[in-house]
Amino acid sequence: MFKFASKARPLLIPARRIRNYSQQHPRPTERHEDEVVGVEPAVSRYAIGASVFLLGGLSYYIYSEFGPALSPHLLWGGSEPAEPTKAERDARETARRQRQVRAQMAPKSDLTAEEQLKWAWTHPGLYAIGSNEFGLADPQHPGIFPGLKCAVPGLEGRLIRSAAFARTHAAAIDSSGSLFQWGTGFAGDAPHAPKCTLRDTSICEVAATDDFVVARDRKSRIRVLRGRSAADTEVDASGAALSFEPRLGWRESVVSMSAGRSHVAVTTDHGHVYTAALDASGNARGQLGHGSDAIVPTLTLRRIESEHRFASAACGAEHTLL
């Protein structure tokens, strides 16, 4: 067999042809011929950015104003939006009322404790924080559930001696002895303002149960007022005085009191504690401290027999702490 070997020959280009090509095709310069050194182009990058921003804002305005009318004619347009349901309408109304109430809320403050004290003396009133489901923080807008921090409307400018909050109603006594009550449990679900139900300059402390408001005066008298308008009790709207059994001793006076769900406890300066049931369930758990859960006469303060002397008493829903 025969083998043929081929050898590649180099391509030889005359130098004269290379020089002619470089003269006919010069290298491109770094800048265009129509640009001048030190002069920006006719359209700067700032003008381009401003135009894009303007076009975006104009598109958003057109779509927000005429979008619902134009959407059926667009390629991506769908059907007309459905009517909002009752739940959605209620949610929008609740949100609107929340914004209205939050506009009158007490603002957050960076004041020191001393500055807050000085501010409070020049802005008296009752400030509440918590749920407004039953109109306790703002009786003019009951039913708004989020936590509120605001001044209770109707009590602005009043020096409050004592205030008490139950689940559906509240009470407060001011420096002039006016007792105010409010809440949906007291006045119903309609918007309302705190109502003055009793005037007595000697009243110095109030407590609240589920159905009652208990008031203590400087003469050691304990009075019970109806806290809920729909409560089926033997206490009328003007109030009823509780009797002590046995009676208070010589120069003995009541210094503090506390109320549970349906009972009340008072402490005297001699260290004695008296408890009373305000309705038939006032001793259902033995919270009166007499050693039994038997039904006892209501509206009678009976002394707890003990060898100890107590500084104060605190009532829970169905228990008492001494």
Side-chain angles (χ1 to χ4, degrees):
M1 299 181 62
F2 299 94
K3 295 183 180 180
F4 297 92
S6 62
K7 188 175 180 181
R9 299 176 60 184
L11 180 63
L12 301 177
I13 302 176
R16 179 174 53 82
R17 294 179 59 183
I18 295 177
R19 288 195 298 271
N20 294 339
Y21 180 84
S22 61
Q23 293 175 359
Q24 296 175 3
H25 300 80
R27 293 181 179 180
T29 60
E30 294 182 358
R31 300 180 62 89
H32 298 288
E33 295 179 358
D34 56 348
E35 294 182 355
V36 181
V37 176
V39 179
E40 294 293 334
V43 181
S44 66
R45 58 180 180 273
Y46 300 104
I48 296 175
S51 302
V52 172
F53 180 81
L54 180 61
L55 290 176
L58 183 61
S59 302
Y60 176 80
Y61 173 78
I62 294 175
Y63 183 78
S64 61
E65 292 292 333
F66 308 103
L70 296 176
S71 59
H73 306 285
L74 299 177
L75 296 178
W76 60 84
S79 58
E80 296 183 358
E83 290 292 331
T85 62
K86 184 179 183 301
E88 294 175 347
R89 292 195 299 269
D90 294 343
R92 293 177 183 176
E93 178 64 19
T94 301
R96 185 190 67 80
R97 293 171 61 186
Q98 290 177 8
R99 291 192 297 270
Q100 182 179 1
V101 172
R102 289 183 184 278
Q104 62 181 4
M105 289 170 53
K108 293 183 178 180
S109 176
D110 296 330
L111 301 177
T112 63
E114 183 178 357
E115 292 173 341
Q116 292 181 23
L117 182 60
K118 293 180 180 179
W119 184 91
W121 278 110
T122 58
H123 299 77
L126 179 62
Y127 295 85
I129 180 172
S131 172
N132 195 45
E133 181 179 0
F134 300 103
L136 302 184
D138 183 5
Q140 295 181 356
H141 301 86
I144 299 180
F145 302 118
L148 298 178
K149 183 175 64 174
C150 61
V152 177
L155 299 179
E156 302 92 341
R158 297 183 178 274
L159 295 174
I160 305 300
R161 289 179 178 174
S162 177
F165 291 83
R167 185 170 182 269
T168 61
H169 67 97
I173 186 75
D174 67 359
S175 58
S176 64
S178 298
L179 177 64
F180 292 90
Q181 295 180 249
W182 69 94
T184 59
F186 172 76
D189 296 334
H192 60 280
K195 179 182 179 182
C196 181
T197 56
L198 181 65
R199 293 183 185 274
D200 190 341
T201 57
S202 64
I203 296 178
C204 55
E205 186 181 5
V206 292
T209 69
D210 283 357
D211 298 323
F212 303 97
V213 171
V214 186
R216 177 180 70 87
D217 60 20
R218 296 188 181 92
K219 300 178 181 179
S220 298
R221 292 180 300 184
I222 308 298
R223 280 179 282 185
V224 178
L225 291 84
R226 184 181 299 174
R228 295 176 56 190
S229 58
D232 185 14
T233 66
E234 58 186 75
V235 177
D236 57 13
S238 60
L242 274 64
S243 59
F244 287 84
E245 184 181 319
R247 297 178 60 180
L248 296 177
W250 174 253
R251 293 181 176 269
E252 184 177 12
S253 60
V254 177
V255 294
S256 65
M257 70 175 182
S258 179
R261 179 176 298 171
S262 56
H263 74 290
V264 62
V266 300
T267 308
T268 70
D269 54 0
H270 288 189
H272 297 146
V273 175
Y274 290 77
T275 57
L278 302 181
D279 58 23
S281 61
N283 195 39
R285 302 281 184 176
Q287 58 264 41
L288 297 185
H290 300 306
S292 68
D293 56 0
I295 298 177
V296 298
T298 60
L299 306 181
T300 301
L301 287 164
R302 297 176 59 195
R303 187 169 66 190
I304 296 178
E305 299 298 335
S306 174
E307 60 182 7
H308 301 284
R309 293 296 177 260
F310 304 99
S312 63
C315 296
E318 294 181 333
H319 66 279
T320 305
L321 302 177
L322 303 178

